[in-house]
Amino acid sequence: MTTIRLLAAALAASALLAVGPPRVPPPVAVLALLAAVLAVGELWLRAPALSLEPPAGRIGLGLVCGLISLPLIALALYLARVPIRAHSLAAGLAALTLLLGGAVLLRERAGGREADPRLPWTFGAIALPVLVALVVGGTAVWAYARLPHPPQPGYTSVALDGWAAGIAGPVAIPRGGLDVPIRVSSAGEPAIVAPLSVIVDTLRIAPPHPVPIAADTAGSIHVHVPTPPNGCLHRIEISLGAASTVFYGRGPAPC
């Protein structure tokens, strides 16, 4: 197929993809996409004047090049802040078709259909997809490193610390209560003053008292847990603002 006819077929397929459903039935759209990918892949091969045999190998390599072109177009649209939609992808495919087709036509007009250098066809079969992949991958890495990234969400966490970190069952709390170490971590949030509370079952033992939490710090504090009313199993929650940690304990009195 001549380059002009190849260009016409690729542009016609891109136009069908731009129209898309419901005007274009899905089977027709799939065939149009396949035709456009094959045509663009063939243009990738004609641009450096590669002549590969057998034909099945050329079709396969062209299909690979055409498929790799799709993420390249999507990346270009993203960098241009254009929404990635079916019609924008089709427009990008048409633009790439014109660019490659123009390069092929200029080469053919300037020097005719010169024979490719006498290198093994395997060299071209390996080098071309690697080159295209490097262009796509390198552009993606370059763009990702330079695009603005949203800040990570901040958090404040509370966890049992010290000896309490090894709690694996109900804790025997003596008369007079127990000092429980907890670790408080803050990242990505400004300094705040959060209310500290101790809740046994559903009863708040004492009014909350304020605890300052510096920004982007981690440290341990001790919280006094009063003796539960009896030796039954009680749920004990230590909360600091919206964060909390829970363990279970028993008092010395009979259940």
Side-chain angles (χ1 to χ4, degrees):
M1 181 182 290
T2 64
T3 301
I4 293 295
R5 291 179 180 178
L6 194 64
L7 270 171
L11 293 176
S14 299
L16 286 175
L17 292 174
V19 175
R23 296 182 179 179
V24 177
V28 177
V30 171
L31 291 177
L33 178 60
L34 180 60
V37 166
L38 287 172
V40 170
E42 175 62 21
L43 290 173
W44 275 112
L45 298 179
R46 291 191 183 186
L50 287 178
S51 178
L52 305 178
E53 297 292 342
R58 185 180 186 89
I59 293 174
L61 182 58
L63 182 61
V64 171
C65 295
L67 289 174
I68 293 177
S69 300
L70 295 177
L72 176 63
I73 295 170
L75 180 61
L77 293 174
Y78 179 76
L79 293 176
R81 301 186 182 277
V82 177
I84 301 176
R85 301 288 188 269
H87 63 275
S88 58
L89 284 172
L93 195 61
L96 180 61
T97 298
L98 291 173
L99 181 64
L100 291 172
V104 174
L105 290 174
L106 286 176
R107 180 188 57 77
E108 291 177 351
R109 178 168 296 183
R113 289 185 172 273
E114 300 176 358
D116 62 317
R118 294 188 176 277
L119 297 175
W121 72 268
T122 51
F123 175 79
I126 295 172
L128 185 61
V130 169
L131 177 62
V132 176
L134 286 176
V135 170
V136 176
T139 306
V141 172
W142 178 88
Y144 180 81
R146 287 162 177 77
L147 286 174
H149 301 287
Q152 296 295 321
Y155 69 90
T156 298
S157 66
V158 174
L160 296 173
D161 197 23
W163 65 264
I167 292 177
V171 178
I173 300 178
R175 298 185 187 277
L178 185 66
D179 287 336
V180 179
I182 63 171
R183 185 167 185 80
V184 181
S185 303
S186 175
E189 291 186 346
I192 60 171
V193 176
L196 176 66
S197 302
V198 177
I199 302 172
V200 177
D201 295 327
T202 59
L203 179 64
R204 195 180 301 272
I205 298 302
H209 68 274
V211 173
I213 303 175
D216 298 317
T217 58
S220 183
I221 62 174
H222 285 74
V223 179
H224 184 74
V225 176
T227 307
N230 52 49
C232 297
L233 188 64
H234 296 277
R235 180 181 184 273
I236 300 170
E237 178 181 352
I238 300 174
S239 65
L240 186 61
S244 65
T245 185
V246 174
F247 66 97
Y248 289 85
R250 303 178 188 272
C255 180

